[in-house]
Amino acid sequence: MVNVIGLGYIGLPTALMLASHGVEVIGTDYNKKLVETLNAGYTTFKEDGLDRLFQKAVEAGIHFTTEYQETDTYIVSVPTPYDKFSKKVDACYVVAAVKDVLKLAPKGAVIIIESTVSPGTLDKFVRPAIEEMGLKIGADVHLVHAPERIIPGNMVYELLHNNRTIGADDKIIGEKVKSLYNSFCQGEIMVTDIRTAEMTKVVENTYRAVNIAFANELAKICRHDNMDVYEIIRICNMHPRVNILQPGPGVGGHCISVDPWFLVGDYPSLAKVIDESMKTNDGMPDFVLNRIYEIMKSEGLRDVTRVGLYGLTYKEDVDDIRESPALQLLESQERHLAPGLKVYDPLILEEVVPNQYYSLEEFLESVDMVVVMVGHKEIKENMDKLKGKVVLDTRHVCEFDKVYQL
Ligand code: SAJ
């Protein structure tokens, strides 16, 4: 039996996937309300194919509880917040979960940590915590790091098809965990050591962050001399060895906007390109804000409360607002200028910010200028309704003629 600890964006789909592929699974989360929701038959976030997977897992007998279970295999998928000032990861939830399960785990249990951690975290924080309990790693308990790699918006598909990495001290344990993931994973599973597994995960997200920063910097250069950044990137990407990502209003989510900071925090004098890239991405909401004021001026618009942000999530077709560029922009606007921007996102039905609307029609009536912040399918399909408004399209999704770009 596998006890999955932490039933959030990664833990829940992983638990469901294992259960629907014949593995006995109990999911544990300390959030009572979340467990009640799952036990009442509802998933806790939206993702393509998740509800179907949930049904299959429930039929296969998955259980959800707030209690840790006594079993031989644990998957820990709890949050790893980071300190914005020191740029270091805070492994307290991982350490707490490991200590809690070890109170009841039998000798030889395997603890698989899926949470993203900065390279060296298991050595610095998890191993000492286990040793302090008087336990011997490799005999009393086996430690494994199996970082998740799935992308929000396509999680269920990627969980099945992505290649995976498993870091273990011991090859035999690594192979054992590989066969557990092989119950559903159709991709290749590489077994390596823990430190390498930690590093690869953070490097993958850092690579993407740096590439996005490059695109964002190009957008700024092109704006300076009125060139079309999208056309330039499109043509460059026709070169066989060039693949530039897309500029945007900023980088959000809890991965690409966070993980690269771990390297900056741990190697401040070495991680220079990464540091600058992260600053470039973090500066994009302010760049958009300046564009808004620039465009308002040239269009003769004076009232900032008649400007609306269309899209609030951190990217298209997800309902996740963590670190979202729109939220960063609103925060920055509150700091520097009079607040009052209107906001609407078809995927966000609960109130998260002031001046938020829940119907496109009412939102459009209240604004003269629309800033497209996210390229949700629903936003693209309703693009025609923006005709007649001044439009700043930060995602390059709007096809009609007169539209302002980044
Ligand atoms: N973004 C751009 N331009 C682009 C691509 C993305 O501005 O060309 C922005 C998005 O709008 C968003 C942010 O970057 O605000 C991050 O989005 P994303 O789609 O690049 O990535 P995440 O954070 O949703 O998921 C990433 C993935 N990592 C990589 O692709 C290397 C995913 O595979 C990881 O599992 C996930 O991080 C994670 O959990 O670490």
Side-chain angles (χ1 to χ4, degrees):
M1 191 256 281
V2 177
N3 188 196
V4 177
I5 316 286
L7 299 171
Y9 286 99
I10 302 301
L12 180 64
T14 305
L16 301 178
M17 199 53 97
L18 283 165
S20 60
H21 285 80
V23 178
E24 193 188 345
V25 179
I26 296 190
T28 298
D29 200 294
Y30 72 176
N31 181 339
K32 214 170 147 211
K33 200 166 156 232
L34 183 141
V35 168
E36 278 168 9
T37 307
L38 294 171
N39 279 331
Y42 302 101
T43 50
T44 39
F45 58 96
K46 288 198 196 81
E47 189 62 48
D48 244 10
L50 189 67
D51 285 342
R52 219 171 321 119
L53 185 65
F54 183 75
Q55 283 316 322
K56 269 176 82 178
V58 169
E59 280 157 28
I62 193 169
H63 292 294
F64 305 103
T65 168
T66 52
E67 307 294 323
Y68 297 106
Q69 305 297 307
E70 186 178 338
T71 185
D72 55 1
T73 311
Y74 296 89
I75 294 182
V76 175
S77 193
V78 294
T80 39
Y82 89 111
D83 184 290
K84 278 197 175 146
F85 296 103
S86 70
K87 313 290 187 206
K88 298 220 184 219
V89 74
D90 181 353
C92 64
Y93 295 116
V94 174
V95 170
V98 168
K99 281 165 90 170
D100 281 341
V101 300
L102 282 176
K103 286 179 197 149
L104 37 82
K107 188 177 165 71
V110 179
I111 301 185
I112 306 164
I113 293 170
E114 277 215 20
S115 310
T116 303
V117 292
S118 67
T121 295
L122 268 71
D123 280 350
K124 270 186 258 167
F125 302 104
V126 182
R127 286 185 204 274
I130 296 174
E131 281 153 8
E132 267 168 31
M133 293 175 82
L135 297 171
K136 197 166 173 346
I137 299 165
D140 296 321
V141 57
H142 298 283
L143 209 48
V144 172
H145 183 44
E148 59 82 16
R149 286 174 143 184
I150 53 179
I151 196 147
N154 200 21
M155 282 181 159
V156 175
Y157 177 89
E158 290 208 349
L159 205 44
L160 277 174
H161 297 277
N162 280 6
N163 302 324
R164 301 192 66 113
T165 315
I166 290 182
D169 292 336
D170 173 335
K171 259 229 141 29
I172 296 169
I173 297 294
E175 291 299 326
K176 190 175 155 193
V177 171
K178 177 175 171 174
S179 64
L180 172 68
Y181 283 100
N182 261 335
S183 65
F184 65 83
C185 174
Q186 297 170 25
E188 190 182 332
I189 302 181
M190 284 125 330
V191 178
T192 182
D193 60 89
I194 289 178
R195 187 67 186 247
T196 304
E198 289 175 322
M199 187 67 177
T200 53
K201 165 69 200 194
V202 172
V203 168
E204 287 158 12
N205 279 353
T206 303
Y207 167 79
R208 195 160 169 84
V210 171
N211 195 335
I212 297 169
F214 179 63
N216 284 333
E217 189 163 290
L218 289 179
K220 287 182 175 173
I221 292 171
C222 291
R223 170 59 39 224
H224 190 265
D225 268 339
N226 226 2
M227 294 179 273
D228 183 345
V229 67
Y230 301 102
E231 179 68 351
I232 289 164
I233 290 177
R234 190 182 68 80
I235 294 171
C236 290
N237 282 351
M238 290 170 86
H239 185 289
R241 280 172 298 283
V242 176
N243 186 13
I244 307 168
L245 293 175
Q246 292 296 298
V251 168
H254 199 63
C255 313
I256 308 275
S257 70
V258 174
D259 301 353
W261 283 125
F262 299 163
L263 294 177
V264 178
D266 285 346
Y267 307 97
S269 61
L270 300 174
K272 295 292 185 201
V273 171
I274 304 168
D275 188 17
E276 278 307 319
S277 300
M278 295 303 279
K279 287 177 184 152
T280 300
N281 291 339
D282 284 356
M284 288 312 285
D286 271 345
F287 179 77
V288 175
L289 195 53
N290 285 337
R291 279 293 282 150
I292 293 174
Y293 282 98
E294 215 170 79
I295 295 164
M296 283 178 71
K297 202 166 161 205
S298 76
E299 290 282 342
L301 301 174
R302 292 223 165 85
D303 185 0
V304 75
T305 68
R306 290 200 55 86
V307 176
L309 300 186
Y310 195 10
L312 191 56
T313 63
Y314 84 90
K315 68 172 188 179
E316 71 286 357
D317 303 322
V318 298
D319 60 0
D320 186 342
I321 57 166
R322 288 178 299 171
E323 327 284 336
S324 109
L327 287 181
Q328 292 176 42
L329 191 153
L330 289 170
E331 235 184 80
S332 167
Q333 196 217 12
E334 274 200 17
R335 268 201 315 271
H336 300 303
L337 303 145
L341 290 175
K342 305 283 194 299
V343 180
Y344 171 68
D345 188 311
L347 301 191
I348 302 296
L349 306 172
E350 284 164 17
E351 185 180 353
V352 228
V353 287
N355 304 314
Q356 192 179 334
Y357 285 75
Y358 304 95
S359 114
L360 176 60
E361 284 64 34
E362 284 174 24
F363 168 69
L364 290 178
E365 267 169 34
S366 73
V367 298
D368 302 315
M369 175 170 170
V370 175
V371 185
V372 178
M373 295 293 288
V374 186
H376 292 316
K377 205 162 135 247
E378 221 166 319
I379 291 187
K380 289 189 206 152
E381 284 168 2
N382 284 297
M383 214 40 105
D384 272 0
K385 298 193 176 149
L386 303 190
K387 284 200 171 132
K389 304 283 178 199
V390 174
V391 177
L392 166 58
D393 177 10
T394 69
R395 295 284 187 175
H396 198 226
V397 287
C398 191
E399 279 170 359
F400 49 86
D401 284 349
K402 188 157 182 333
V403 58
Y404 289 95
Q405 306 282 10
L406 272 181

